[in-house]
Amino acid sequence: MIPLAEPVLGGNEARYLAECIETGFVSSVGPFVERFEQRFAEAVRAGHAVACASGTAALHVALRLAGAGPGRLVAVSDFTFIASANAAAYTGADVLLVDSEPDTWNMDTELLYDEVTRRARLGEPIPDVVEVVHVLGHPAAMEPLLELRSRFGVRIVEDAAEALGASWTSGPLAGRQVGTVSDLGCYSFNGNKIITTGGGGMIVTADAEYADAARHLANQAKVAGGHYEHDTVGYNYRLTNLAAAVGVAQLERLPELLAAKRSIASRYDAWLSTSPFTPAPRAAWADPSYWLYSVLAGAGDSSPDDVVARLAAAGAQARRLWPPLHRQRPYASARVLGGAVADDLHRRGISLPSTATLSAEDQEAVVATALTAVGVGA
Ligand SMILES: *Cc1c(COP(=O)(O)O)cnc(C)c1O
């Protein structure tokens, strides 16, 4: 079976895990947690990093720190994995789902900008927080959001769960990594992400106060030096030393894993460029992480379900792109800005096998099967 996205665990993972067992540091106290946080902050060039039990937990804490809560409004990408919106919903905030733009599939930040300025003009409530997702590893167009931040004080949280290592290559954010250009950025180390800790997440921020508050909330809001004293309702969201040990080993291989993802993407680009499939988006100003290389089937082609089924029959795992959140039951009554682009991405989108160790041979077979499914070749 050619997997969609499998962990690649060939480095120091086992050695560092053995070290945890031998020293007895298996839980949330231990040297690997701090080492993982420090090395992660260095890798993405962020001021501070706080490890969490999952990407969803990281987002929950980050959104709460950014001001999300009951009576507040959080604007979230409509086209994303549901965890992005769930984290906002946990805070008790209302959610405004914002459609994608067709060029990068990310939140249409111009559309949101126009809507916020329109609302502000009419004296209507505007979002307190924008949670922008770098979907499938492609950086979002941030300028309109940073403008909303400076004009209206809207806080920005980046969901970079799929986008570790992606960056902007030109414009005002040139050279900056996703997750580091807003108030708080969050990453996931779930089994299928760019790097994994089995399960885990990270919050990064330039603001030391946010970092301290994140650490505090993730540790049951336990007051330092106090005896079981807690100053608010916190969470048990700490990462274990075991998970962090795997994270440190994975981080050592991040450049290699990213390079592999990018060469897989450039092969897909080349092999699919003259096909009925629209290759994965790449803006001229972006260097994506290509977490899951995804394509759009042509409007008239056999259904994406058929392409996925043909690939499965040939031993390759592919997956339809998510139904937009406005189609999901928990968000059926959420406010939506647009939604047609997200609908189209779901209707036509397919993620192809993208494991960093995917061989060129297997990849060629995947492409041949996908092309056959839409009536090209053999
Ligand atoms: C994976 C993912 C999350 C959640 O991360 P977990 O570590 O699985 O909790 C959040 N947002 C997006 C966009 C994701 O892909």
Side-chain angles (χ1 to χ4, degrees):
M1 189 76 185
I2 302 173
L4 185 68
E6 242 186 6
V8 177
L9 300 166
N12 284 321
E13 289 82 359
R15 198 157 73 80
Y16 295 164
L17 280 172
E19 212 175 302
C20 296
I21 309 283
E22 283 154 16
T23 58
F25 285 116
V26 294
S27 194
S28 51
V29 174
F32 281 111
V33 177
E34 206 182 312
R35 200 175 304 165
F36 187 37
E37 290 177 341
Q38 278 172 1
R39 300 214 176 143
F40 192 90
E42 283 162 23
V44 300
R45 294 190 303 281
H48 310 271
V50 180
C52 291
S54 71
T56 312
L59 285 168
H60 182 195
V61 168
L63 288 164
R64 187 167 148 180
L65 292 176
R72 300 290 177 89
L73 183 61
V74 178
V76 186
S77 306
D78 185 21
F79 177 70
T80 178
F81 179 54
I82 201 163
S84 309
N86 285 350
Y90 298 163
T91 70
D94 293 320
V95 162
L96 169 68
L97 302 171
V98 183
D99 202 0
S100 294
E101 42 96 3
D103 291 342
T104 68
W105 307 358
N106 280 311
M107 177 190 279
D108 188 337
T109 52
E110 297 280 356
L111 178 72
L112 178 62
Y113 185 87
D114 291 346
E115 173 67 7
V116 172
T117 48
R118 187 191 67 82
R119 287 184 181 204
R121 228 178 10 252
L122 299 173
E124 292 175 6
I126 64 169
D128 302 281
V129 182
V130 178
E131 181 192 356
V132 61
V133 184
H134 302 295
V135 173
L136 297 164
H138 193 295
M142 295 298 290
E143 283 92 334
L145 302 184
L146 299 177
E147 182 72 19
L148 286 179
R149 191 182 188 288
S150 58
R151 269 188 76 181
F152 302 107
V154 177
R155 299 287 164 214
I156 314 292
V157 172
E158 287 166 86
D159 179 348
E162 302 166 359
L164 173 59
S167 62
W168 291 269
T169 55
S170 61
L173 299 177
R176 305 278 297 276
Q177 299 234 2
V178 297
T180 67
V181 301
S182 59
D183 294 284
L184 297 133
C186 298
Y187 306 81
S188 164
F189 312 123
N190 184 34
N192 66 359
K193 297 289 159 70
I194 305 277
I195 66 169
T196 188
T197 59
M202 192 74 81
I203 301 172
V204 301
T205 179
D207 184 328
E209 278 177 36
Y210 271 149
D212 289 345
R215 205 162 265 124
H216 183 64
L217 279 178
N219 188 21
Q220 305 280 26
K222 187 164 174 278
V223 176
H227 184 68
Y228 286 106
E229 222 182 291
H230 307 263
D231 57 8
T232 183
V233 178
Y235 313 99
N236 178 9
Y237 277 173
R238 290 165 302 171
L239 190 70
T240 66
N241 198 53
L242 284 172
V246 176
V248 170
Q250 287 272 289
L251 209 47
E252 290 169 353
R253 302 183 64 196
L254 177 61
E256 186 193 328
L257 294 171
L258 278 170
K261 291 274 192 195
R262 286 170 177 146
S263 57
I264 290 167
S266 62
R267 287 200 296 262
Y268 274 132
D269 280 346
W271 292 340
L272 294 170
S273 64
T274 57
S275 81
F277 293 104
T278 306
R282 177 175 185 176
W285 41 265
D287 192 10
S289 68
Y290 292 108
W291 169 55
L292 293 181
Y293 187 94
S294 305
V295 297
L296 300 182
D301 289 330
S302 58
S303 82
D305 282 330
D306 189 42
V307 176
V308 170
R310 295 273 199 123
L311 285 166
Q317 206 178 21
R319 194 167 71 190
R320 296 272 310 271
L321 290 177
W322 314 281
L325 295 178
H326 74 261
R327 302 265 170 213
Q328 305 272 11
R329 250 179 290 169
Y331 299 98
S333 59
R335 278 167 276 184
V336 194
L337 199 53
V341 177
D343 275 331
D344 186 54
L345 295 173
H346 169 59
R347 195 158 42 236
R348 298 198 287 136
I350 306 165
S351 297
L352 298 175
S354 301
T355 300
T357 50
L358 177 66
S359 71
E361 252 172 13
D362 282 350
Q363 195 181 349
E364 205 172 350
V366 165
V367 168
T369 305
L371 290 177
T372 309
V374 294
V376 179

